Amino acid sequence: MRGSSLKYLAKEGVRNVWLNRLMAVASIGVLTACLLLVGIAILLSENVNNMVLFVEQQNDIVIFIKDDATDEQVAELEAAIDSQKNIIQKTYISQAEALEEMTERIDAAAELFESLEEDTLPASFRIRIDNMAYLEDIILYIDQYDAVEEIYAPNNVAETMVSLKHTINTFSILMISTLILVSMIIISNTIRATVFARRTEVGIMRHVGATNSFIRIPFLIEGIILGLISAIIAYFVIRFAYNNVIGVLFENASPFLQSLEESIVPFQTISGRLFGYFAAAGVALGALGTLISLRSHLKV
């Protein structure tokens, strides 16, 4: 197809948007709402995953070492810890360090600890893992070593975090899939209404020899324009709303929420990806909706 023909068809697509502006505005409004909900699902999933990671990193797993464990047994235990790729941090706490730490924590009763021997508290390894889903497997693996006296792990926190993460991700996927389907139906109906209003013109073009591509391209461009406009509006609305909601949420938040504030995903770190998602979704939905709605009308 020649460049002049493509230019003409592109102008026709833009013209169609203007001629059917009432239907276009309605479609943009509904599609923008769908994209906003998709954006909320994405941001919710990102933040929940980040919060889960943050909480995971605040929960130490403490491996208490037997007082009579030999140096070889401790070294064997340390090597076993180092061999686990899901362990991202390891700290050895000697008996003296454990007593000093306990004294600092309970400052009001520091005098009571002065009479205790340095070997009163057991030595330990404190570890952190990158995913609480592996907690049980790591505990079972480490607990088999002779140097281990006891393992303290936040099992309830792990189960809660893993369950929450799975629930939110599943909900987000279902919501996004549903909204994509709804958006396709909306765009398809908009283009179908436009084609129906111009069915006589389309029929004449088919009878005088116009190809399917020549007829289809203006409608395709119209659908893409509607999708892009919706994407741009949705992006700026969600950008404004996200920053303001986060500000209000943590302004008078409880101490627990304030502790999670640093785990909130800054909008600028996801803005590029989010706009890309919106633009790609807008173009894809506009194009697919157009192709679906034109299938029956191009059969003459």
Side-chain angles (χ1 to χ4, degrees), residues 32-295:
T32 297
C34 289
L35 288 175
L36 284 173
L37 292 173
V38 169
I40 290 171
I42 292 172
L43 290 172
L44 179 63
S45 180
E46 289 275 343
N47 278 289
V48 167
N49 288 338
N50 218 41
M51 285 182 182
V52 169
L53 178 61
F54 176 78
V55 173
E56 285 175 346
Q57 292 175 346
Q58 306 309 308
N59 287 283
D60 290 338
I61 301 170
V62 184
I63 305 166
F64 294 106
I65 301 172
K66 292 178 180 178
D67 292 337
D68 58 354
T70 65
D71 292 340
E72 290 76 13
Q73 289 175 329
V74 174
E76 184 182 17
L77 173 60
E78 184 172 10
I81 294 172
D82 291 335
S83 69
Q84 295 297 296
K85 62 180 181 180
N86 298 114
I87 295 176
I88 57 175
Q89 183 178 332
K90 177 199 69 181
T91 305
Y92 176 73
I93 308 295
S94 67
Q95 292 179 304
E97 289 171 334
L99 180 59
E100 182 181 351
E101 187 179 87
M102 181 65 72
T103 304
E104 290 176 354
R105 285 186 180 180
I106 314 178
D107 188 55
E111 295 180 359
L112 298 177
F113 293 98
E114 290 179 358
S115 60
L116 297 178
E117 299 293 334
E118 287 188 351
D119 60 355
T120 301
L121 298 177
S124 63
F125 284 107
R126 291 181 184 172
I127 62 175
R128 289 180 181 175
I129 60 178
D130 60 358
N131 191 330
M132 282 291 191
Y134 301 111
L135 177 62
E136 196 65 34
D137 291 337
I138 289 175
I139 291 175
L140 290 174
Y141 176 77
I142 293 175
D143 197 38
Q144 64 182 320
Y145 286 86
D146 295 331
V148 177
E149 175 72 32
E150 185 182 357
I151 298 177
Y152 167 77
N155 298 73
N156 292 336
V157 173
E159 292 175 5
T160 302
M161 290 296 101
V162 172
S163 177
L164 178 62
K165 186 175 181 179
H166 176 72
T167 301
I168 293 295
N169 287 341
T170 302
F171 172 76
S172 298
I173 291 171
L174 290 175
M175 175 182 281
I176 290 171
S177 301
T178 302
L179 292 172
I180 286 175
L181 179 60
V182 170
S183 300
M184 281 187 61
I185 293 172
I186 292 167
I187 287 289
S188 177
N189 287 336
T190 301
I191 300 299
R192 184 177 287 113
T194 303
V195 175
F196 184 79
R198 300 175 59 193
R199 61 191 182 281
T200 303
E201 179 183 344
V202 171
I204 293 172
M205 292 173 69
R206 290 288 289 134
H207 281 101
V208 298
T211 62
N212 285 343
S213 296
F214 189 87
I215 299 172
R216 186 182 289 121
I217 288 176
F219 294 106
L220 192 61
I221 291 173
E222 180 182 356
I224 290 173
I225 290 173
L226 294 178
L228 280 175
I229 292 174
S230 301
I232 293 170
I233 294 173
Y235 171 79
F236 282 105
V237 169
I238 205 166
R239 177 177 180 173
F240 174 79
Y242 183 80
N243 289 329
N244 282 276
V245 167
I246 294 300
V248 171
L249 181 64
F250 289 100
E251 185 175 356
N252 299 305
S254 64
F256 174 73
L257 279 178
Q258 288 178 352
S259 69
L260 294 176
E261 185 174 4
E262 63 183 271
S263 68
I264 294 295
V265 178
F267 189 81
Q268 56 268 27
T269 63
I270 195 178
S271 61
R273 269 192 299 147
L274 190 62
F275 183 77
Y277 293 153
F278 281 177
V283 170
L285 291 172
L288 288 173
T290 300
L291 295 176
I292 291 171
S293 63
L294 285 173
R295 287 179 60 185

